[in-house]
Amino acid sequence: MSHSKKDTLNDINIRFEKQKKELTESLKYASYIQKAILPTENQLKKYFPEHFLLYLPRDIVSGDFYWMARRNDRLFLAVADCTGHGVPGAFLSILGISVLNQIVGRSDCTSASGVLNTLREHIMKSLNQTGEESEQKDGIDMALCIIEPQKNILQFSGAFNPMYVIKNSNRLIEIPGDKMPIGVGAEEETSFTNHIVNIDEGDMIYLFSDGFADQFGGPKGKKFKYRPFRNLLLNINSMPMHSQKKELKESVEKWKGRIPQLDDILIFGMRYHK
Amino acid sequence: MKLLSFNIQNYRSIIHSGWCNLAHDNITALIGQNESGKTSVLEALQSFYEGSISEDVLRSDLSFPIVSCKFDFDYKSLFEILEVDRIPEKLKEYLKSATQFTITRKWKEDRTSLLLVTDHEIMNYYEARELEKTAIEQKTQEEIEKLLEMAEKTFKEMELAEQVKDSAQEELSNLRKTFEEKRKAFKKAKQPDDKLIAEKELESARKAYDKAEEKFKDRLELFEKAKQETQQLSEKVTVCKQCNESIQNAFNASTELESLINRRKDIEHQYEISTDQKDQKLVYSKLQQIKNEIAVAEKRHEELQEFSSLQKAISARVLAGEPYRIAEAAAKDELALENRQYSIFNMGDLFFKYIPVFEFFEDFSSLLPNKIDLEDILNEKTHVEGFKAARNFLLIAGLNAAFFREKNHRILKQKIENLNGEITINFQDYWSQNVGKDNKIQLNFELEHYDYTHPEKSGKPYLEFWIKDKQERLYPKQRSRGVRWFLSFYLELKSTAKSNHLSRVLLIDEPGLSLHARAQEDVLKVFEDLKNTMQIVYCTHSPHLVDVNKLYRILAVQRANESDDQSESLIIDAQSLYSASSDTLSPIYSLLGVKVNNQDFIRDKNNFIVEDTICYYYLNAFYSLAGETIQPSFIPSTGLTNIPLLTNILLGWKLGFTILLLGRNRSDEILNELSRSVFFNNEEQQKKRLLQLKDFEYPEDVFSTLDFKKYVLQTRVGITSKNSEYIIENGLSRTVLASQFLNYCENKRLTIKDFDDNTRANINKLIDKIKPFIS
């Protein structure tokens, strides 16, 4: 190869490196912003003294997010998964969080399904979605609950994502999410279902995105799936919070082996105390 | 196959209508004041179909009319008309997935027109193809210029090389002579000295000769090379010159054609201004002559254009290195393929064959004769008076020649009597007017035979028509103008619907002008009956020809500046009726007034005065959804400010009523007014007669967002404000939405169970609040 060609290639490589560095720095900065709008550990601890959060973004910024708010003795908690991951997912997550804050500020939004219904309207409006076949079907999958400690009840509404409650350390109750996203779906919009669940002191509540169960790995390179996930939770639910987080993290690490992480992973677990 | 929408430009007072949608259920009414441009819309649609326009259609700025119509599309049927292998490949896929297509008719200066398919994808395809072709032609032209320049240079070089070669040859020939002379001198020299000198000179001459010979060979080689180069270029040069010549010829032909067209215009002008009959005759003959010349010139121009295209294609190939014969054959094939494929104009013409027939209904065109010879009908003698109506009559009755071949006179008479009964019943289904009490008119026909008083036709059958009622039996011509019009209208429409399966768009200008209000409503009944067999577009001033429950059928036509009948016409669709002027909407307002006379509208008690027709529609719909046994009578006011007036009228008539106000913000002011002027500050009376529902500012807010989208808007959009706010923010017509909702509920037989918990709770809450006021 002639000197001049080699020089040109070197120049290109240097330029690429520079651009990559700039891009990574810029994304890192974006991730700080994203973290800043997520609830802090202290905020979570204040209302959920016993909880853990396993948050493993696939890229620097994430399409998964968690959110909490308190209004009139009600605790709102959501774990969500935006379409895509990385930058597009992160944009949608910021939109989701800001709209959730707006909705919860309104006095007329008192049911979990009402929050999801209203959030869907905002997302459809913001993304100009009208259900046309040709348009992008961006949206958010979400598990949202409203805990009312005074009544020992919990309202739950889910867009695809379910919620698990483990009672007496041995009975796992699955509260299913509706099969429609927050955003425009294939079918015409109907109201999300509002589930009401009685909760008792010491019950474990888990909200999560699909990243854990959908991770490929194991000896045959298959998905982890939900049944093993539920069994894992049944095995670990009585452990302290940090141990549960450690077990879950190790399990997914072990499962994926050399296969790269395919999606963002987010699990929020909490032990209910009145 | 349906006409979905139209777009009219530069047609009489219409500058640009924008896309106007026809009602989905095939009946569209154009309403507006006189001179607003309603008839122009119908005429423009008719011109679109027929292609002809008159001079007075043109606008003063001489911009030419353009009318586009959008149709729904079934590619399977269309592919029966199109030859698949003639559709450009890229368009096939598009056509398979398309659900609509647009045809545009553009008129030219000579008032002839072109049909084009103007859907974006199709236009883009042809434009791209044209651009590509032009780019190739331009490139070829540039290459031709370059080649001709190079050929000229090469030719000059060859000429120069030839001159140099000739001069070297001449020099060689001279040196040859010198050498020969020296050789002779050498031979002649006897003395040794002389011989030595001669030998030296001979040697020198030989050398000079040899050198010159070398030089000549060089020059000759150069010349041969230049000659070869010139020869090599000669084929390309010939092709390029032919191409240039063909382009020039086509250009000349186009100039000639243009000049002939200009001459025709001058002659036409002369013809228009000439007053003397003799002159006019002379000019007319000149006009005919020039028209013939134009026809010849057009043909020549077309041929030369085609030849020039071929030459361009051949040149492009020859320049790219193909031998002439191969290039010629390939270019011809290429052009043949291109000519075989549909052009944008072919597409327009072919798609046009697929569209519905547009027919302008002519008043009294189907007037029944008193009598007509059967032979004239069966032999299709269209010029015979009343032929069309009589034929239509027989068509509706389902009669043909075979029917009249029945030899048994008694059976035939009986059959006719039965048919008369059926036709009358069918006609009476539409014509609800009575002539005197319980006396409806009947349509009758009879088969008679000429007697001796008509010796030339004696024994021949004829049909006699009657319009009877209980009192008298009159010939059609003896009946009133209104009956005649309606009968003509009935026969024309019913027979059109029956005649064949082709889809039709019927254009009707002010139907039933001479009819009584009740009979005008009968016209609507005929429309309703026929809407599944044809599309009807009509214009009207009459409130009786507008269905207030189907306001989506309305297109309002008005002048941009209503006090200036020279200003442009605007067409406002149903969604934007709120922006039409009160004068334009007067048929709708009148209609609401007319309905007040209806006995079902106001009752002795349980009358609820509501703010407007919007509340009227929604409240009626809510009651019907809830299936309540006692339904109050809602009386729409024309706005909050008119409620006191309406209240006074009901008070005056001693009718029981309650004022039902929605919201708190807007109604507070009117509450004060009512307390003062209606209830005279009597709180007891006010409590009994006034119900304020503060939970809902507008009736649209009774729906949950999801139900509002599903049943009222019928679209999937994100709504983050109150329903009523969304309507206002997006400039939608509340009246049309309300009317559509009521209609939708009735057509789909919705019940309250179809709505979600929120809406149900709100409707029940509303009904519960009204209940105590119902007695």
Side-chain angles (χ1 to χ4, degrees):
Chain A
M1 191 185 288
S2 68
H3 269 295
S4 65
K5 275 188 182 171
K6 209 171 175 180
D7 289 347
T8 319
L9 264 182
N10 282 338
D11 286 349
I12 292 171
N13 279 336
I14 291 166
R15 224 169 45 234
F16 274 160
E17 280 304 316
K18 197 179 163 210
Q19 278 176 354
K20 194 182 163 193
K21 200 178 160 199
E22 279 171 5
L23 206 60
T24 313
E25 276 170 8
S26 158
L27 280 173
K28 272 186 186 161
Y29 193 72
S31 81
Y32 297 142
I33 297 173
Q34 197 181 29
K35 275 182 194 136
I37 62 165
L38 295 173
T40 61
E41 188 57 34
N42 282 342
Q43 282 168 324
L44 289 169
K45 205 158 194 160
K46 187 176 172 190
Y47 298 111
F48 309 112
E50 240 190 304
H51 80 274
F52 74 86
L53 185 73
L54 180 68
Y55 185 43
L56 304 171
R58 198 198 86 152
D59 303 310
I60 301 170
V61 285
S62 170
D64 282 10
F65 71 89
Y66 52 97
W67 167 85
M68 67 146 290
R70 182 169 182 268
R71 189 176 169 85
N72 302 336
D73 295 330
R74 289 174 167 188
L75 289 167
F76 293 72
L77 179 67
V79 162
D81 176 4
C82 300
T83 316
H85 41 72
V87 178
F91 271 113
L92 206 50
S93 74
I94 290 169
L95 178 65
I97 289 172
S98 80
V99 175
L100 278 170
N101 285 328
Q102 200 181 320
I103 294 170
V104 90
R106 278 169 40 180
S107 58
D108 57 345
C109 224
T110 52
S111 70
S113 59
V115 175
L116 293 200
N117 285 339
T118 314
L119 178 61
R120 177 171 57 194
E121 295 302 326
H122 278 270
I123 297 290
M124 281 174 73
K125 187 182 175 190
S126 304
L127 302 181
N128 278 327
Q129 294 175 327
T130 55
E132 293 288 321
E133 270 181 32
S134 54
E135 79 189 11
Q136 198 72 27
K137 299 273 186 295
D138 291 309
I140 305 175
D141 297 346
M142 183 179 283
L144 180 135
C145 66
I146 303 175
I147 300 167
E148 299 181 50
Q150 286 180 334
K151 297 181 189 168
N152 278 340
I153 59 164
L154 172 153
Q155 290 185 47
F156 170 78
S157 202
F160 283 117
N161 291 352
M163 178 184 76
Y164 295 156
V165 177
I166 300 184
K167 288 182 171 285
N168 304 323
S169 303
N170 58 9
R171 192 160 63 90
L172 187 145
I173 303 168
E174 178 180 351
I175 299 117
D178 293 303
K179 300 288 174 218
M180 53 189 175
I182 294 170
V184 78
E187 303 291 322
E188 199 170 1
E189 294 72 54
T190 54
S191 178
F192 285 97
T193 315
N194 200 51
H195 301 270
I196 295 178
V197 183
N198 290 317
I199 43 173
D200 300 305
E201 184 76 19
D203 285 354
M204 262 315 284
I205 297 164
Y206 296 99
L207 301 172
F208 44 85
S209 66
D210 59 2
F212 194 102
D214 282 351
Q215 177 61 46
F216 282 90
K220 292 179 185 169
K222 287 187 169 179
K223 279 184 181 180
F224 191 86
K225 293 194 179 166
Y226 283 93
R227 188 191 290 269
F229 178 52
R230 284 195 293 269
N231 289 337
L232 178 60
L233 293 179
L234 276 169
N235 287 336
I236 64 170
N237 76 86
S238 48
M239 291 180 185
M241 295 298 129
H242 67 273
S243 309
Q244 288 196 37
K245 179 178 175 180
K246 190 167 164 264
E247 284 293 329
L248 285 165
K249 194 174 178 189
E250 281 173 6
S251 297
V252 76
E253 288 293 339
K254 195 176 159 198
W255 179 258
K256 76 174 183 185
R258 286 185 177 178
I259 294 177
Q261 185 178 329
L262 293 175
D263 199 356
D264 304 315
I265 292 174
L266 175 58
I267 305 173
F268 181 87
M270 60 158 287
R271 199 176 298 286
Y272 174 67
H273 296 294
K274 200 169 177 181
Chain B
M1 174 84 196
K2 269 175 74 168
L3 170 63
L4 301 173
S5 51
F6 61 82
N7 188 350
I8 302 167
Q9 291 175 64
N10 309 323
Y11 198 99
R12 289 191 198 274
S13 57
I14 306 167
I15 295 179
H16 194 172
S17 70
W19 280 105
C20 303
N21 295 322
L22 265 62
H24 61 85
D25 60 359
N26 295 348
I27 301 175
T28 303
L30 294 156
I31 61 166
Q33 297 184 77
N34 286 328
E35 297 291 314
S36 61
K38 303 185 298 297
T39 307
S40 298
V41 173
L42 298 185
E43 284 175 352
L45 291 174
Q46 179 70 355
S47 296
F48 166 80
Y49 188 73
E50 291 186 343
S52 55
I53 48 167
S54 57
E55 182 100 2
D56 56 350
V57 155
L58 299 177
R59 292 189 55 78
S60 54
D61 62 0
L62 290 179
S63 41
F64 295 99
I66 302 171
V67 182
S68 302
C69 288
K70 201 175 274 177
F71 302 91
D72 67 357
F73 183 85
D74 168 14
Y75 86 92
K76 280 182 190 156
S77 318
L78 189 65
F79 275 41
E80 283 170 17
I81 294 176
L82 297 176
E83 291 173 48
V84 178
D85 63 326
R86 293 184 65 189
I87 305 171
E89 214 45 53
K90 282 185 184 170
L91 283 185
K92 269 186 208 162
E93 283 313 305
Y94 164 69
L95 289 175
K96 277 183 186 168
S97 61
T99 54
Q100 298 179 348
F101 69 87
T102 310
I103 298 183
T104 297
R105 191 185 279 280
K106 284 184 179 176
W107 277 269
K108 297 185 288 182
E109 210 172 336
D110 59 357
R111 297 213 298 274
T112 59
S113 62
L114 285 172
L115 283 169
L116 300 119
V117 175
T118 47
D119 293 288
H120 287 307
E121 286 78 1
I122 295 179
M123 294 261 286
N124 289 346
Y125 167 76
Y126 281 108
E127 266 171 27
R129 201 168 88 165
E130 202 52 40
L131 279 175
E132 195 184 344
K133 199 176 163 189
T134 313
I136 292 172
E137 283 183 1
Q138 221 163 23
K139 197 179 156 208
T140 308
Q141 194 57 42
E142 281 167 14
E143 281 178 9
I144 288 175
E145 298 304 328
K146 255 192 224 165
L147 183 103
L148 289 178
E149 212 173 285
M150 191 170 87
E152 202 180 330
K153 199 177 149 199
T154 314
F155 186 73
K156 276 184 184 161
E157 278 171 5
M158 187 195 76
E159 276 184 337
L160 194 67
E162 192 173 20
Q163 277 173 18
V164 172
K165 180 209 76 176
D166 287 350
S167 109
Q169 196 173 16
E170 201 181 336
E171 191 188 345
L172 186 68
S173 162
N174 289 339
L175 284 170
R176 174 96 201 158
K177 276 182 200 163
T178 311
F179 175 73
E180 288 299 327
E181 280 167 9
K182 295 294 175 193
R183 201 157 60 103
K184 278 179 192 168
F186 175 72
K187 277 186 182 171
K188 274 184 190 170
K190 303 264 170 48
Q191 295 302 320
D193 285 351
D194 291 346
K195 201 139 186 135
L196 193 68
I197 292 166
E199 190 183 3
K200 274 186 183 169
E201 281 178 353
L202 180 62
E203 189 54 35
S204 158
R206 181 197 302 273
K207 279 184 182 165
Y209 178 78
D210 286 348
K211 205 175 168 188
E213 195 177 36
E214 274 307 304
K215 191 180 166 188
F216 171 68
K217 275 181 188 166
D218 279 355
R219 300 294 184 266
L220 183 64
E221 200 179 328
L222 283 173
F223 168 67
E224 289 296 338
K225 202 176 158 196
K227 194 174 157 190
Q228 203 183 351
E229 277 176 16
T230 312
Q231 274 171 350
Q232 272 174 355
L233 282 176
S234 75
E235 189 181 55
K236 288 184 180 174
V237 169
T238 313
V239 172
C240 290
K241 281 187 174 167
Q242 266 177 13
C243 180
N244 274 356
E245 200 182 321
S246 72
I247 294 170
Q248 188 59 45
N249 286 345
F251 177 75
N252 291 345
S254 139
T255 320
E256 190 190 331
L257 182 63
E258 206 174 312
S259 115
L260 284 171
I261 290 170
N262 286 337
R263 263 180 61 202
R264 185 191 64 194
K265 278 188 206 161
D266 291 343
I267 298 171
E268 275 174 343
H269 181 65
Q270 276 178 35
Y271 184 76
E272 273 169 27
I273 57 170
S274 68
T275 46
D276 182 63
Q277 208 175 354
K278 205 175 161 190
D279 276 356
Q280 227 174 20
K281 207 173 167 185
L282 195 70
V283 178
Y284 182 75
S285 110
K286 272 190 194 172
L287 192 61
Q288 290 310 312
Q289 198 185 335
I290 196 90
K291 277 183 181 171
N292 291 339
E293 284 176 32
I294 286 174
V296 173
E298 271 176 344
K299 195 162 179 241
R300 184 175 151 69
H301 178 238
E302 200 176 306
E303 282 168 2
L304 288 172
Q305 279 282 11
E306 199 166 319
F307 184 67
S308 155
S309 298
L310 177 66
Q311 290 304 319
K312 282 177 198 167
I314 296 174
S315 302
R317 287 176 172 275
V318 168
L319 286 172
E322 280 182 26
Y324 179 76
R325 286 199 182 286
I326 295 173
E328 188 188 24
K332 277 184 178 168
D333 286 351
E334 201 175 86
L335 276 182
L337 181 71
E338 195 183 309
N339 287 340
R340 188 170 158 65
Q341 280 192 340
Y342 292 128
S343 69
I344 193 163
F345 302 110
N346 293 145
M347 282 273 190
D349 290 339
L350 282 163
F351 276 40
F352 188 76
K353 286 182 189 163
Y354 183 65
I355 67 167
V357 175
F358 287 42
E359 265 180 333
F360 212 107
F361 171 72
E362 289 166 45
D363 280 357
F364 301 110
S365 64
S366 213
L367 208 55
L368 268 183
N370 297 345
K371 61 180 173 185
I372 185 165
D373 292 358
L374 187 59
E375 206 174 71
D376 288 343
I377 303 179
L378 300 180
N379 293 336
E380 297 270 320
K381 289 194 180 166
T382 52
H383 63 279
V384 173
E385 191 199 347
F387 167 80
K388 196 175 176 188
R391 188 204 53 196
N392 287 343
F393 187 96
L394 296 187
L395 196 71
I396 295 166
L399 300 185
N400 53 24
F403 175 86
F404 294 101
R405 279 193 214 113
E406 173 62 60
K407 288 195 176 134
N408 188 323
H409 198 62
R410 190 183 57 79
I411 293 176
L412 194 58
K413 283 262 178 194
Q414 184 59 50
K415 278 186 180 175
I416 288 174
E417 201 169 309
N418 295 345
L419 273 172
N420 278 334
E422 283 173 28
I423 295 167
T424 295
I425 288 169
N426 191 290
F427 179 71
Q428 284 178 350
D429 280 347
Y430 300 106
W431 181 257
S432 53
Q433 296 213 71
N434 295 340
V435 185
K437 203 177 178 191
D438 299 331
N439 185 7
K440 282 195 162 187
I441 57 171
Q442 298 175 12
L443 294 184
N444 274 194
F445 79 105
E446 279 160 18
L447 181 68
E448 301 291 352
H449 292 81
Y450 287 106
D451 59 15
Y452 66 92
T453 55
H454 296 83
E456 74 288 0
K457 292 183 178 177
S458 178
K460 289 194 171 174
Y462 66 89
L463 297 178
E464 200 165 26
F465 294 95
W466 301 100
I467 301 178
K468 290 173 23 181
D469 55 55
K470 274 184 186 169
Q471 274 79 40
E472 49 189 352
R473 174 182 162 104
L474 295 173
Y475 279 130
K477 282 185 186 170
Q478 292 172 302
R479 284 288 174 186
S480 73
R481 191 178 164 79
V483 170
R484 272 163 36 218
W485 185 92
F486 192 86
L487 187 56
S488 171
F489 165 80
Y490 169 81
L491 290 175
E492 189 66 27
L493 265 69
K494 286 292 276 187
S495 62
T496 304
K498 253 189 160 177
S499 59
N500 55 42
H501 63 280
L502 268 182
S503 44
R504 277 165 199 278
V505 179
L506 192 68
L507 310 167
I508 311 177
D509 193 8
E510 303 199 18
L513 262 187
S514 45
L515 295 180
H516 179 267
R518 183 115 183 246
Q520 289 188 345
E521 287 174 1
D522 293 342
V523 170
L524 261 189
K525 269 201 268 176
V526 179
F527 287 169
E528 288 289 344
D529 185 54
L530 299 180
K531 71 181 182 193
N532 294 327
T533 50
M534 63 178 79
Q535 286 178 274
I536 296 159
V537 184
Y538 65 99
C539 50
T540 186
H541 297 279
S542 168
H544 307 282
L545 281 165
V546 178
D547 187 339
V548 78
N549 289 321
K550 289 170 183 161
L551 293 186
Y552 57 84
R553 288 178 173 173
I554 289 175
L555 289 176
V557 187
Q558 67 181 44
R559 295 281 180 165
N561 176 358
E562 287 201 278
S563 53
D564 175 11
D565 63 6
Q566 296 300 308
S567 67
E568 67 166 303
S569 293
L570 304 175
I571 304 176
I572 298 160
D573 69 11
Q575 292 289 323
S576 313
L577 277 185
Y578 61 93
S579 62
S581 71
S582 312
D583 288 337
T584 302
L585 295 177
S586 61
I588 301 172
Y589 295 148
S590 311
L591 184 64
L592 292 169
V594 167
K595 284 282 178 191
V596 174
N597 295 334
N598 189 323
Q599 282 307 301
D600 289 338
F601 197 68
I602 299 179
R603 300 182 199 149
D604 289 345
K605 55 183 184 178
N606 298 337
N607 296 306
F608 283 76
I609 300 172
V610 293
E611 180 181 344
D612 50 21
T613 41
I614 300 155
C615 290
Y616 164 84
Y617 287 132
Y618 282 118
L619 288 164
N620 274 316
F622 295 154
Y623 264 83
S624 146
L625 286 170
E628 285 288 307
T629 44
I630 303 174
Q631 177 143 355
S633 172
F634 294 104
I635 303 169
S637 171
T638 48
L640 283 172
T641 47
N642 288 330
I643 287 180
L645 176 70
L646 200 49
T647 312
N648 284 324
I649 293 171
L650 291 185
L651 276 171
W653 288 345
K654 296 190 176 168
L655 298 169
F657 68 89
T658 305
I659 300 165
L660 175 56
L661 295 175
L662 289 188
R664 63 180 80 224
N665 302 331
R666 296 170 311 120
S667 52
D668 275 354
E669 202 175 316
I670 204 69
L671 269 178
N672 295 336
E673 166 71 16
L674 287 166
S675 304
R676 224 179 20 245
S677 63
V678 177
F679 302 114
F680 304 104
N681 295 324
N682 180 335
E683 279 185 25
E684 199 63 27
Q685 272 297 315
Q686 189 164 328
K687 265 188 193 168
K688 274 187 193 167
R689 301 254 192 186
L690 198 141
L691 169 59
Q692 191 182 13
L693 297 173
K694 293 181 180 176
D695 296 332
F696 312 106
E697 199 64 32
Y698 290 95
E700 292 89 342
D701 297 326
V702 168
F703 299 97
S704 69
T705 308
L706 287 174
D707 282 338
F708 177 66
K709 290 199 293 184
K710 190 172 176 183
Y711 298 114
V712 181
L713 290 183
Q714 297 181 17
T715 47
R716 293 175 73 187
V717 285
I719 300 181
T720 57
S721 47
K722 278 184 174 181
N723 300 335
S724 52
E725 285 166 5
Y726 178 84
I727 294 178
I728 295 162
E729 280 162 14
N730 288 279
L732 302 173
S733 164
R734 293 181 63 217
T735 319
V736 172
L737 287 176
S739 142
Q740 271 175 354
F741 173 71
L742 180 61
N743 220 26
Y744 188 74
C745 289
E746 282 168 4
N747 289 343
K748 299 276 173 189
R749 295 165 193 260
L750 297 183
T751 69
I752 200 157
K753 286 180 190 161
D754 294 305
F755 293 79
D756 65 20
D757 293 349
N758 281 346
T759 311
R760 276 209 300 267
N762 287 341
I763 293 178
N764 288 333
K765 191 171 175 184
L766 197 138
I767 290 174
D768 285 346
K769 294 229 170 151
I770 293 176
K771 223 169 242 172
F773 289 81
I774 296 177
S775 54

